[in-house]
Amino acid sequence: KMAVSSWVDGGRYYVGANGLWDKNAKKQEIAKSTENKKGWVKSGSDWYYYNEDGSLARNKWAGNYWLGSDGRMATNSWVDNNRYYVGSNGAWVKNAGHGVTYSAHYKVTALYIPVYDVNGRILSHVSRDTVLFRDNRAEANGRIPVQVAGLTGYVNPSQVEAVNSDTTFIPDYVSDGKYVYHRYSQNTKVMVAYHNANMEVGKSYYSADGINFGTFKLNHPFQFTNLNSRTNYTAADINRLYSLMGANDSKLAGKGETFKAAEQKYGVNALYLVAHSALESAWGRSNIAKDKNNFFGIAAYDDTPYTSATKYDSVDGGIMGAARWIKERYLHNSGYPANGAYLGNKAGGMNVNYATAPYWGESIASIMFNANEKLGRRDG
């Protein structure tokens, strides 16, 4: 979203009400002109809320209205880590059903497609073969109302095809009595949570966000925790994990000290870095990892993953460089491409813009969860 009436680019430049750079702006004068802003203020078609000290409210409630990471009042979306829904006027919808009733399913047919809000603004993108859950909202601008990975929006009908459980596996959640697994396909599943007492062992449960199941909620360890944190595991623990995962042949095996150095220098959780690299590089054994020391999928775009992927000079450089890049771009609460310093899903967190795969954040959290179980449950 184009910025207006704010300091941008690290606070170095000021853009006015029309969005243009004000070459002669001085911080003292701007501060004086905005010091009286308090409460609700409308800018264009958007609403913002200013605290008593004149600062812009972000990632918080103002009454029954949610202010996003850019300070803008949210509408027609699930907010506050997917726990509440706000309607077209921005107000909290107290009894909104989330992950309960779906009238149809669609599968993405293009390499990746945009998901729009009711006004046509792109919220995020999702990749080919993603199964979308249609809800009972009306179409908007000819687009189909869908939910996926926590995101509620609309897609172009030309970019999806209708499917059903007779022809296509619909992703579900199932418990074995100890853990809950999200099954992406008949042959692919990830461990996402501890068993929930409300779930019948072996029974399929459906939810478009994986959290709300109508009569109960599912808690996902690590998916929504702050990544600007430190793991309780040591470098030796991390090295042991590669052995436990059967990845002693990985280029990352024995690099526990480097992961911990990245955590120390950049403040990025080392267990997360291990899990992220495990997902993106098959535990350090993908061709991009072997040839380019790129373990985090940086610049490995959907249409040209190998060719476009960033190359690093060494394994250590690949770990440290990625930690710095991720910290600077994603692990804060405002400014594209950041959407919050947590893995999240398609509604919030790194998953919104880091990857088109809708369950990318959940998959990394699953690796952290599994690692935590193997290493003694010292995190979380």
Side-chain angles (χ1 to χ4, degrees):
K1 180 174 175 293
M2 183 187 74
V4 295
S5 302
S6 57
W7 288 95
V8 299
D9 198 4
R12 294 183 294 170
Y13 305 99
Y14 187 81
V15 292
N18 60 358
L20 289 173
W21 169 39
D22 184 346
K23 189 174 183 179
N24 299 312
K26 296 180 180 179
K27 285 196 174 184
Q28 296 88 340
E29 294 176 0
I30 296 299
K32 186 176 180 180
S33 67
T34 59
E35 64 183 1
N36 293 324
K37 280 189 176 181
K38 290 182 181 180
W40 289 104
V41 174
K42 190 173 185 180
S43 177
S45 60
D46 297 317
W47 283 95
Y48 299 84
Y49 187 86
Y50 288 83
N51 299 310
E52 284 297 315
D53 62 0
S55 62
L56 182 63
R58 303 174 188 271
N59 291 317
K60 63 183 292 187
W61 290 96
N64 285 330
Y65 302 87
W66 177 258
L67 290 314
S69 59
D70 60 356
R72 186 166 55 89
M73 183 188 76
T75 58
N76 295 317
S77 57
W78 290 91
V79 299
D80 197 2
N81 283 339
N82 268 338
R83 293 184 295 171
Y84 306 97
Y85 187 79
V86 292
S88 59
N89 64 352
W92 169 41
V93 180
K94 187 174 183 179
N95 296 311
H98 196 65
V100 181
T101 57
Y102 307 108
S103 57
H105 297 92
Y106 294 84
K107 185 169 71 173
V108 176
T109 56
L111 184 61
Y112 59 88
I113 67 170
V115 180
Y116 302 87
D117 69 9
V118 70
N119 298 313
R121 182 174 68 94
I122 294 177
L123 299 171
S124 188
H125 294 80
V126 291
S127 55
R128 176 181 284 150
D129 294 332
T130 296
V131 174
L132 309 172
F133 293 70
R134 177 165 184 163
D135 56 36
N136 293 318
R137 289 172 297 140
E139 291 189 2
N141 302 313
R143 296 189 177 110
I144 301 169
V146 296
Q147 297 181 31
V148 61
L151 185 62
T152 300
Y154 302 83
V155 295
N156 291 319
S158 61
Q159 296 177 314
V160 297
E161 65 178 6
V163 296
N164 58 59
S165 58
D166 293 332
T167 60
T168 303
F169 181 84
I170 306 301
D172 64 359
Y173 293 81
V174 63
S175 173
D176 65 0
K178 185 175 182 180
Y179 300 111
V180 176
Y181 297 86
H182 188 184
R183 300 195 299 183
Y184 300 153
S185 70
Q186 288 178 316
N187 303 312
T188 307
K189 66 180 182 181
V190 297
M191 186 173 78
V192 297
Y194 292 113
H195 171 69
N196 187 295
N198 294 287
M199 299 180 75
E200 181 181 328
V201 174
K203 179 181 177 180
S204 291
Y205 292 83
Y206 298 91
S207 170
D209 69 351
I211 300 170
N212 297 276
F213 289 81
T215 58
F216 66 92
K217 288 179 179 288
L218 197 62
N219 178 51
H220 289 237
F222 301 104
Q223 191 173 348
F224 299 98
T225 56
N226 190 345
L227 300 179
N228 292 313
S229 60
R230 299 197 178 195
T231 177
N232 291 311
Y233 295 112
T234 65
D237 292 326
I238 291 173
N239 290 338
R240 184 161 62 93
L241 179 62
Y242 281 86
S243 178
L244 292 171
M245 299 305 298
N248 285 326
D249 59 337
S250 167
K251 293 185 76 171
L252 294 172
K255 290 296 180 179
E257 290 287 354
T258 307
F259 280 110
K260 291 297 287 187
E263 179 181 76
Q264 176 67 29
K265 185 170 184 177
Y266 299 113
V268 182
N269 188 284
L271 186 64
Y272 148 69
L273 290 173
V274 170
H276 184 161
S277 62
L279 179 73
E280 295 282 4
S281 70
W283 288 92
R285 295 176 292 197
S286 70
N287 287 334
I288 293 175
K290 292 176 181 177
D291 299 343
K292 296 189 171 186
N293 293 312
N294 184 336
F295 309 100
F296 294 82
I298 295 175
Y301 305 122
D302 287 11
D303 48 354
T304 57
Y306 184 89
T307 304
S308 60
T310 301
K311 184 175 183 179
Y312 293 91
D313 293 334
S314 65
V315 174
D316 288 356
I319 296 171
M320 298 297 289
R324 181 180 64 183
W325 187 84
I326 290 167
K327 174 73 172 185
E328 292 175 349
R329 290 176 61 83
Y330 288 93
L331 300 190
H332 51 89
N333 291 319
S334 62
Y336 182 87
N339 261 279
Y342 55 95
L343 287 164
N345 51 26
K346 279 298 172 183
M350 289 183 68
N351 201 166
V352 174
N353 291 315
Y354 199 102
T356 58
Y359 306 115
W360 176 89
E362 181 185 70
S363 296
I364 295 175
S366 174
I367 296 172
M368 294 177 71
F369 183 26
N370 191 25
N372 191 49
E373 291 294 284
K374 290 181 179 298
L375 293 174
R377 295 189 182 181
R378 279 185 269 156
D379 278 0

